Every structure is written in structure tokens, then in C-alpha cells.
Amino acid sequence: AAEVSLAEKKCLFHFVRALGQVPFLSSKSKSNADLTKWAFAVVNTRCSTMPDGDICLAPMADFFNHGAEENAYITYDEEGNCYAYSTCDVPAGQPLQICYGDPTNPSNLLARYGFLDESSPATFCKIVINNSSPELVNMGYDPSRMLFYKDGGISQEVWDVLLFQELGKSPEEQNYFYQAHMMGDEALKQQYHEQYFTQTLSALQKHVDYLVIELDELSENTWRKDNERYPRLPLIMRHNEYVRSIFELVQQNLDNMSS
């Protein structure tokens, strides 16, 4: 979410600079910060991506709401005409919903669109590895795959990535594990997971325990803020509680594994 917010700030900066080069806009409009932010937000939250990578605003299509289980999608022809198709029979009176982005990362949806999708089946496990290697990516290091589920479940990619990191202490063993993964040798992978289960379990427990404490401290500090000055705080707090509830279930799941 922080990366999304930072990227949007950079885009807004370039947007403001570009407006300065538009001859038919008055200097009053160009210097109106609130108007500029509104115009940027309208495009950024309502646009869709065309096949050539460009973005556009398509009237009516920008009215579709988000759904983790979408029942419609938008496409374009070679001339840029926009079409909407349903993916199933939609009863009369039911909304048409498309997917605004990765449904397993409600934090990014909150950062960009300003709403919390509590129907998301999972959330990113928040394991951040800076400058991740191609090998880590091949092991499954991707926010859309490194998941904690609503029932406390943990995606296989989380275990694979953590074990790969743990085996960094023994490069030869790390390479054997990596080759087993790339060759699809699940039996050998399972042997490694069983052999180093205690280490990976401990690493994951430390991560989850730390994040739960961080979320508690963040909520405590947020309560002291003025909601009138920061109107989005209640939504942000709801998001943090949503993420915390999932992490708590994962925490219980891990505790059961260690007992």
C-alpha cells in the first residue's frame, strides 16, 4: 500500500508539471491545488487500461463496482471502442462487478480507491524482501501469491520462500531445494520442509507476532488522532483491524503447529 501511495504521489507531481504546459487552461485553474488533486483522482480511480497499455475513461464503464468475484469484464477493440461482457447469468437488479485489482491485496485497493474490500479471501503476508533475486521470484515471492487466508491458512509460497531464505546459511542445500522446486520434485521438496520445519515455523511465528504487535501499536497511536483533521482514519483503522484478525488466526494456526 505504501508503494502504491508513493507511486501515485510521483504521478501527481508529473501531472501538475504537465498541466503547466497546457495552453488553454487558465493560470487560476493550474494553481488550484484542490482542483488539480480532484482531476487526478478522477482519472486515477476511474480509468481502465487498454490493450496497448494506454489508459482511458469510458463513460458508463467507469460505473462498475469492484467485486472479488467479478461477474463482468471490460475489453476494447482495435479502434478503441469499449465493450462490457458478463461472465455468467446476472439476475435483474444485481450489480455488475469487475475486478479493480488483485483481490488478495485489500491494502492496495484501499490505497488507490479508498475502500476496504472485506470480501477478499486473503491478504498479503507482509513479508517484504528488498531486492529479491530471480530465484526468490521463481520460488513464489509475489504479493499475489504470498498469502494468509481468512481461515488462518498459509499459502505454500510462504513456506517455500521462507525455507529458501533459511537455507541461505547452506548454499549447497539451498541450491538442491531450488532445483527440486524448478524440476517439480515435490517429494524432495517435502523432505526439505520436514527437515527444516522447526526453523521455518519459528521464522514465520516471529514475523506474525511482530506484525500483530505493530498493528496494535499503530491502532493505539491512531486513536489519539483527530478524525476531523484526518477523515480517513476510521477506514484505515478498520483496514488494520481486518488485517489483524487474519494475522491472529494465522498466529493461532502456527501455535497449534508448534504444540
Side-chain angles (χ1 to χ4, degrees):
E3 291 182 2
V4 173
S5 298
L6 181 59
E8 287 185 5
K9 286 183 179 180
K10 290 181 179 179
C11 286
L12 176 59
F13 172 77
H14 292 300
F15 176 70
V16 172
R17 291 187 63 182
L19 283 181
Q21 307 302 316
V22 179
F24 56 81
L25 283 178
S26 68
S27 58
K28 182 178 180 180
S29 295
K30 295 177 183 179
S31 61
N32 189 323
D34 290 337
L35 180 62
T36 300
K37 289 179 181 179
W38 173 83
F40 176 80
V42 166
V43 175
N44 192 48
T45 61
R46 304 187 78 84
C47 68
S48 55
T49 305
M50 300 179 68
D52 61 3
D54 200 359
I55 61 173
C56 71
L57 287 175
M60 299 302 296
D62 62 347
F63 283 150
F64 288 125
N65 285 329
H66 166 79
E69 298 180 2
E70 70 267 36
N71 56 19
Y73 67 95
I74 295 172
T75 187
Y76 297 86
D77 64 17
E78 294 180 354
E79 297 178 353
N81 297 307
C82 178
Y83 298 89
Y85 295 94
S86 62
T87 60
C88 60
D89 291 332
V90 182
Q94 293 299 309
L96 292 174
Q97 297 180 318
I98 62 175
C99 184
Y100 285 9
D102 180 8
T104 62
N105 200 338
S107 301
N108 278 359
L109 293 174
L110 174 66
R112 178 168 182 180
Y113 298 103
F115 70 87
L116 174 61
D117 181 14
E118 296 185 73
S119 68
S120 295
T123 187
F124 175 44
C125 68
K126 315 298 183 187
I127 294 176
V128 177
I129 303 174
N130 296 320
N131 302 317
S132 56
S133 65
E135 290 79 12
L136 267 175
V137 174
N138 289 335
M139 292 300 306
Y141 183 68
D142 184 299
S144 66
R145 300 170 65 188
M146 300 276 290
L147 303 175
F148 287 162
Y149 295 96
K150 277 185 172 180
D151 62 356
I154 302 160
S155 70
Q156 183 60 45
E157 287 80 0
V158 173
W159 293 110
D160 287 346
V161 167
L162 283 177
L163 178 53
F164 182 81
Q165 290 284 86
E166 179 65 28
L167 290 174
K169 302 170 184 176
S170 176
E172 185 177 7
E173 291 293 293
Q174 185 185 55
N175 183 58
Y176 285 145
F177 177 66
Y178 177 73
Q179 293 303 324
H181 174 78
M182 297 302 292
M183 297 296 293
D185 189 341
E186 294 300 324
L188 182 56
K189 276 185 64 178
Q190 185 60 31
Q191 289 180 23
Y192 272 99
H193 277 295
E194 291 175 358
Q195 181 178 349
Y196 292 94
F197 178 71
T198 301
Q199 291 90 327
T200 51
L201 176 64
S202 175
L204 190 52
Q205 283 179 314
K206 289 179 181 178
H207 169 73
V208 173
D209 292 347
Y210 171 78
L211 259 295
V212 169
I213 293 173
E214 283 284 294
L215 287 168
D216 285 342
E217 292 179 352
L218 188 60
S219 295
E220 180 65 27
N221 292 333
T222 303
W223 277 113
R224 301 169 186 169
K225 302 289 185 180
D226 183 359
N227 286 354
E228 292 187 4
R229 185 177 180 184
Y230 305 100
R232 294 186 68 185
L233 275 181
L235 180 60
I236 293 173
M237 291 178 65
R238 218 174 89 211
H239 162 268
N240 292 346
E241 283 301 314
Y242 171 78
V243 172
R244 189 186 187 284
S245 66
I246 294 178
F247 270 66
E248 275 192 324
L249 290 174
V250 172
Q251 195 176 45
Q252 294 171 17
N253 187 13
L254 294 173
D255 288 343
N256 291 334
M257 292 181 189
S258 61
S259 61

